[in-house]
Amino acid sequence: MSLLTDNIKRYAKLRGLSLQSVAERAGLSKNIIYKWTRADSSPSKASVKAIADALNVTYEDLTGEKTENKPTTIDVKAAIEDEHTLMTFDGKPIPPEDLEIMKRLLRGE
């Protein structure tokens, strides 16, 4: 058995589901997971993603792949000029007068 099918079985068991019901929840044929255990059959990435969604886990949880979390870069100058950018602190909106001061500081005024 492969790591993928072992992980699918493990998560299905934790959720009290059969492999057939997991496949059906994912919109796949009910015996597809059993077919993947054979060496001559391998799933598509879309099928694995559908199984992951049906089990409420990530694609990486099933495949064992590691993904690097790359930091998101933000163009601060563009963001402060965009009227649709929400500026908050600790989940609360920044008062308009404080926001204007912050924008001026970020612009270097």
Side-chain angles (χ1 to χ4, degrees):
M1 298 242 182
S2 70
L3 175 64
L4 172 65
T5 54
D6 288 344
N7 285 339
I8 293 172
K9 286 180 180 183
R10 182 168 52 94
Y11 285 113
K13 185 175 181 179
L14 286 171
R15 285 153 180 75
L17 300 170
S18 69
L19 294 181
Q20 289 179 336
S21 65
V22 170
E24 288 173 346
R25 283 179 179 213
L28 304 170
S29 70
K30 67 180 183 177
N31 292 319
I32 192 70
I33 299 170
Y34 294 111
K35 291 180 182 178
W36 294 342
T37 60
R38 297 192 323 244
D40 64 335
S41 181
S42 62
S44 68
K45 189 170 185 170
S47 294
V48 176
K49 177 71 175 120
I51 294 288
D53 291 343
L55 290 170
N56 199 26
V57 296
T58 65
Y59 176 86
E60 293 78 14
D61 288 335
L62 294 182
T63 61
E65 293 178 11
K66 302 289 182 206
T67 56
E68 272 187 46
N69 291 333
K70 295 180 182 177
T72 304
T73 58
I74 298 172
D75 183 355
V76 176
K77 288 183 180 182
I80 62 172
E81 299 302 329
D82 184 1
E83 292 179 19
H84 300 291
T85 300
L86 297 176
M87 300 282 190
T88 64
F89 177 74
D90 204 20
K92 298 175 185 162
I94 299 172
E97 57 276 1
D98 293 344
L99 188 55
E100 187 54 40
I101 292 169
M102 291 171 61
K103 286 182 178 183
R104 287 187 10 231
L105 287 170
L106 289 170
R107 283 190 220 114
E109 297 176 358

